[in-house]
Amino acid sequence: MRRRVLFFIIFLWLFPLSCPAREYYVFVVAPMMSPVITIETYRNFVKYISKRMGKPIQFVQKKTYSEANHLLATGEADFGHICTGAFLTGRNLGLRLLVAPVMYGKTYYQAYVIVHKDSPYYRLKDLRGKLFVFTDPLSLTGRLYIVTRLRELGTSPKHFFRRIFFSYSHDKSLELVAENVIDGASVDSLVYHYLAERKKELVQKLRIIEKSPPFGIPPLVASPHIETELFERLRRLLLEMDRDPAGRRVLRKMNIDRFVVPELEIYLKTLRFIP
């Protein structure tokens, strides 16, 4: 019996069983906004890419940034759109920079520290002992920026704020502050401006008390497991979207001007905010 088991193990080592290739691609998104807004944002994008690639694309939305990173790192997802903090963390997992969107004419974004417009808070220091909401543990604009700022002040979120919460979406953080449920939050400037166009009454209740330095914009990344040919094909398709009338319509709905191949250096400059 032992000989049979040993023979089987050696056989698998010499002739590993190959898994059939998937008949579809998997695109994963980290939850920068609430599920409903995220689905609305990416629905036409996924349809467009699927049609151009000639293969179905399964759209997957995970609750946390680390879950999205895991799917990409293991090859369960082929490519995805994740936040900058998740990408910088995911580089250790082999995530590959695919393209970056140009939004509002820029390839960078910022963290906005926000409070209610009628609050007595005008500096980050004013929020000592108050309630504060983060987006996700790996979010650069929604948490890591504040962690670094407080470290520079000789403290930490645990000791600085009275209590910390996680919203797992930037729009939810904005809502909590706008409705005076939470005293302050740090949010993605892109989401802030997106909602300023679509939910003016909400954003008008807010005041920005601090802006971070510019960070490399949240990129589209690829799994380390996809073949080079697929990587290059995806990159070429994305880079050419703005030249195609149908592609431009999709991008316009996402507030994206076009996609570009960014310099890795603009992301590496942000490493000081990554623990």
Side-chain angles (χ1 to χ4, degrees):
M1 182 65 180
R2 289 182 179 177
R3 288 182 179 178
R4 290 181 179 178
V5 172
L6 181 60
F7 174 80
F8 183 67
I9 292 174
I10 294 174
F11 179 83
L12 288 179
W13 179 63
L14 293 174
F15 307 101
L17 296 177
S18 59
C19 298
R22 276 196 263 105
E23 294 300 318
Y24 56 91
Y25 300 123
V26 177
F27 174 71
V28 65
V29 171
M32 288 174 267
M33 292 190 285
S34 61
V36 172
I37 294 179
T38 300
I39 290 172
E40 291 176 352
T41 300
Y42 290 97
R43 181 187 292 117
N44 292 328
F45 175 78
V46 171
K47 286 182 179 178
Y48 177 85
I49 300 299
S50 176
K51 183 177 180 180
R52 293 293 303 273
M53 295 292 289
K55 198 170 183 178
I57 294 180
Q58 179 181 339
F59 174 64
V60 176
Q61 182 180 186
K62 304 305 294 183
K63 181 181 178 181
T64 67
Y65 293 177
S66 61
E67 288 176 324
N69 275 10
H70 175 76
L71 290 186
L72 289 160
T74 59
E76 295 174 71
D78 299 295
F79 66 118
H81 195 187
I82 60 177
C83 86
T84 301
F87 166 61
L88 290 170
T89 303
R91 286 183 68 244
N92 297 327
L93 303 174
L95 303 192
R96 303 164 65 189
L97 187 60
L98 190 59
V99 294
V102 177
M103 301 182 70
Y104 306 102
K106 303 171 183 177
T107 54
Y108 66 85
Y109 74 139
Q110 295 169 277
Y112 285 175
V113 182
I114 59 170
V115 297
H116 194 279
K117 68 179 182 66
D118 296 328
S119 76
Y121 317 125
Y122 291 89
R123 302 175 303 168
L124 178 59
K125 292 180 179 181
D126 295 337
L127 290 171
R128 183 184 293 273
K130 306 304 177 184
L131 303 180
F132 201 84
V133 60
F134 287 136
T135 304
D136 182 279
L138 295 183
S139 175
L140 176 58
T141 55
R143 177 177 173 269
L144 298 179
Y145 169 70
I146 293 297
V147 172
T148 302
R149 280 284 287 115
L150 294 180
R151 187 187 305 128
E152 293 171 349
L153 295 174
T155 185
S156 67
K158 179 180 178 181
H159 296 97
F160 185 80
F161 300 115
R162 176 155 63 94
R163 193 172 178 187
I164 299 165
F165 302 87
F166 282 94
S167 67
Y168 293 101
S169 71
H170 290 279
D171 53 317
K172 184 63 176 177
S173 291
L174 270 84
E175 290 175 7
L176 289 170
V177 177
E179 299 306 323
N180 264 326
V181 177
I182 300 291
D183 297 306
S186 183
V187 298
D188 180 326
S189 63
L190 298 173
V191 176
Y192 183 94
H193 292 297
Y194 178 91
L195 294 178
E197 296 176 358
R198 291 162 175 77
K199 293 187 177 182
K200 292 182 180 179
E201 70 288 348
L202 176 73
V203 176
Q204 285 172 352
K205 296 179 182 179
L206 302 169
R207 176 162 33 87
I208 301 170
I209 62 171
E210 181 171 313
K211 295 182 180 181
S212 75
F215 303 135
I217 202 165
L220 271 71
V221 300
S223 166
H225 297 281
I226 71 170
E227 297 178 355
T228 300
E229 182 182 354
L230 175 57
F231 179 91
E232 294 298 337
R233 189 181 174 198
L234 274 170
R235 173 176 277 182
R236 187 165 55 251
L237 192 162
L238 293 166
L239 292 176
E240 295 174 353
M241 273 189 76
D242 64 301
R243 303 173 203 168
D244 172 40
R248 281 199 301 273
R249 286 194 293 271
V250 172
L251 293 176
R252 194 176 300 120
K253 290 184 178 180
M254 301 173 74
N255 283 0
I256 295 176
D257 304 330
R258 64 187 185 281
F259 288 111
V260 297
V261 178
E263 294 289 339
L264 180 59
E265 183 63 27
I266 67 173
Y267 293 99
L268 298 183
K269 288 179 181 179
T270 310
L271 282 176
R272 76 182 185 92
F273 295 96
I274 307 299

